[in-house]
Amino acid sequence: MFENIKNFCKRIIKKEEKKTIQENSKNAAKERLHLVLMQDRANVSADFLELMKQEIIEVIKKYIEVDEKEIDVRLTNKENQDGTNGAPALYANIPILNIKNDAKKVIKEENKENNKNKEKQEQKEDKTNQIEKNQEENKEENKKQTQIKQEEHIENKEQK
């Protein structure tokens, strides 16, 4: 009895393994076909794509440490808003392990520069606001002076 159950389970497991292998093969073939179609649409050869991938990796490695085994660079179709396929797009998934110290220094310097520029911009805005405030105060003062002069002029006319 147990032998029959054991054999039954083994057959099910074998069928599942076969199914998984077939699905993996199917997905791999589908991915390869997709890549070939994308390369054809973008007029890009596999060698060119590999060369481009290597150059991208070399540039990125100057600034960050990456997991080269897990890098995924490929062409995909950009989907339009209406759901149709648009122009080919380069997709790059590059796992970052660490940012190099030189890059961190550059980032810090850029942040300092940005903060200085922000402070300068705020100072300019403060000056502009102060000038506008002074202009408004001057306008009000001029209005008052003009009104006083008009009143004095009217009084002078009445006295004559």
Side-chain angles (χ1 to χ4, degrees):
M1 173 81 171
F2 289 115
E3 191 66 33
N4 289 339
I5 294 172
K6 184 179 171 184
N7 289 336
F8 177 73
C9 290
K10 283 182 182 180
R11 279 185 269 143
I12 290 175
I13 291 171
K14 283 182 183 179
K15 284 181 183 178
E16 288 297 320
E17 287 175 352
K18 249 186 188 179
K19 199 177 201 182
T20 303
I21 291 170
Q22 286 175 342
E23 284 182 15
N24 287 344
S25 296
K26 175 183 163 185
N27 289 337
K30 193 175 180 181
E31 183 66 29
R32 284 193 300 271
L33 179 59
H34 187 286
L35 179 63
V36 168
L37 288 172
M38 290 306 302
Q39 289 171 345
D40 185 51
R41 287 183 188 151
N43 200 18
V44 175
S45 70
D47 292 337
F48 179 78
L49 184 62
E50 186 61 32
L51 177 65
M52 188 170 52
K53 175 182 172 181
Q54 290 305 318
E55 287 184 17
I56 290 170
I57 292 169
E58 290 305 314
V59 169
I60 290 172
K61 284 172 49 178
K62 289 180 183 179
Y63 303 99
I64 56 178
E65 293 176 30
V66 297
D67 185 358
E68 288 189 52
K69 296 174 191 162
E70 296 297 320
I71 291 176
D72 180 20
V73 176
R74 59 186 140 127
L75 286 173
T76 62
N77 256 348
K78 184 177 179 185
E79 190 172 305
N80 295 329
Q81 289 178 343
D82 62 0
T84 60
N85 285 339
L90 182 66
Y91 169 82
N93 183 8
I94 304 169
I96 298 171
L97 298 175
N98 192 15
I99 295 177
K100 293 184 177 181
N101 284 335
D102 292 343
K104 288 179 184 177
K105 288 177 187 175
V106 169
I107 290 169
K108 284 181 184 178
E109 288 173 11
E110 286 175 355
N111 286 339
K112 284 180 185 177
E113 188 66 29
N114 287 339
N115 288 338
K116 285 180 185 177
N117 290 338
K118 187 177 179 181
E119 286 176 15
K120 286 179 183 177
Q121 183 65 30
E122 288 173 355
Q123 288 174 352
K124 284 181 183 178
E125 289 172 1
D126 288 345
K127 286 180 182 178
T128 302
N129 290 338
Q130 187 62 41
I131 290 170
E132 289 174 354
K133 183 179 175 185
N134 289 343
Q135 287 175 342
E136 287 296 318
E137 289 174 357
N138 288 339
K139 284 181 184 178
E140 289 298 318
E141 185 63 32
N142 287 340
K143 283 181 184 178
K144 288 179 185 176
Q145 292 295 329
T146 304
Q147 190 176 9
I148 291 171
K149 285 181 182 179
Q150 286 175 348
E151 289 173 359
E152 287 175 355
H153 183 67
I154 292 172
E155 284 178 13
N156 286 339
K157 277 188 173 182
E158 289 175 355
Q159 287 177 358
K160 288 182 181 181

